[in-house]
Amino acid sequence: VHLGAMAETVKAQARQFQGSLSEGDVILSNSPFAGGSHLPDITVITPVFSRTTAMDAIGSEPIFFCASRGHHADVGGSTPGSMPADSTLLAEEGILIDGFRLVTHGVFDEEGIRSLLSTPQAGSAQEQLASQTSGCRNLSDVLSDLKAQVAANSRGIELLHALMRQYTQPVVLAYMTHVQRTASECVRCMLRNFAKTINGAGEGPLEVYAKDCMDDGNPVCLKLKVDPDMGTAHFDFSGTGPQVHGNWNTPRAVTTAAIMYCLRLLIGQNIPLNSGCLEPISISIPENSMLDPAPNAAICAGNVLTSMRITDVILKAFGAVAASQGCMNNFSFGDEHFGYYETIAGGSGAGPSWPGTSAVQCHMTNTRMTDVEIMEKRYPVIVREFSIRRKSGGAGKFTG
């Protein structure tokens, strides 16, 4: 879910800071409505300039961006961990930062980012909730992690420049295009094979439908239309339930990430994940639905719950695999001094000829659990039991 949505964040920030970036600048965003997922996921983006331009050439356009996204343990809000179970507004889930220059000409703006993370945002909804929300509870940890993200980007830039020194800039730029074109062709081939499998000797577009529901009955609906001649597909989520008065709404970028993830699975070839996978794809999502909510809507669980249901629905439409546990199984706790957040493993769905896997982080989860011994050492907790819940999977020829 992090990688699939990150391209939209980079595009949004590149537009916002167009013409004003220079060597040594780094920007930061966690906006769910500019390619983000939920507020704890902070993206740090560093522009990469050609070494042939002046080091301080304001206005020269970057040739690449290096970006890293990390889920931070706490970014404020009404509860430790910034994942309140009862949030109904985005303001309750933490600090919103839609574009901040974290580093300017190589100087880390610690005072600026401390100020942003320490105080809940101003605004009508936030003002009403000011007495209920908090700034970041783990400020020193978050600052250290942000510096680590900046360092990771710097390492990426070093590797890119080493690559260009070895093969030249035009060759590297060309191969970036080749990588995306290869991904696009792989998806087109998969879509044609899928249509052929379903249609047999039939011709013309193929339409398939899939649906699943959230625990409250709100549906996630998908009509998938595949054109085998063009090797394209349209993902239409019309019929999906409305925005909810809860926090399992999800930004558009999360649906895009789920689609990209599923396509990458279905390709069946070892290619790097990249936005070329989406070149043959178009997407329709109804406004003010659970998958495209209003800007002030609570969304923290959409990234970790609804994203899994979307994935299950897409894979169901392709007839690829049965549903997973349908949630990342999040668990967060803490007090005024610390916050802890974890995703607990679940199970994957069975396939046409194989059983599902127990106790595994699957699909959009994209993490591993912290070892119990480490958690007990670093936090004031004792874990009484950590075990598999036996016979909890779905029955069938192959067990889920």
Side-chain angles (χ1 to χ4, degrees), residues 63-65 160 163-164 169-183 274-276:
I63 54 173
F64 300 111
F65 289 92
L160 270 173
L163 203 62
M164 288 188 284
Q169 180 174 310
V171 170
V172 172
L173 287 169
Y175 271 86
M176 295 291 183
T177 302
H178 299 334
V179 166
Q180 293 187 27
R181 188 173 298 148
T182 297
N274 66 84
S275 56

Side-chain angles (χ1 to χ4, degrees), residues 192-207:
R192 291 188 178 105
N193 289 336
F194 170 68
K196 183 178 180 181
T197 299
I198 303 299
N199 273 347
E203 297 181 357
L206 166 70
E207 289 190 5

Side-chain angles (χ1 to χ4, degrees), residues 39 89-92 94-96 119-133 295-296:
L39 298 180
L89 292 171
L90 185 65
E92 298 172 85
I95 311 299
L96 171 65
T119 309
Q121 301 286 337
S124 57
Q126 286 85 343
E127 288 168 359
Q128 296 170 18
L129 293 160
S131 61
Q132 306 173 37
T133 58
N296 66 340

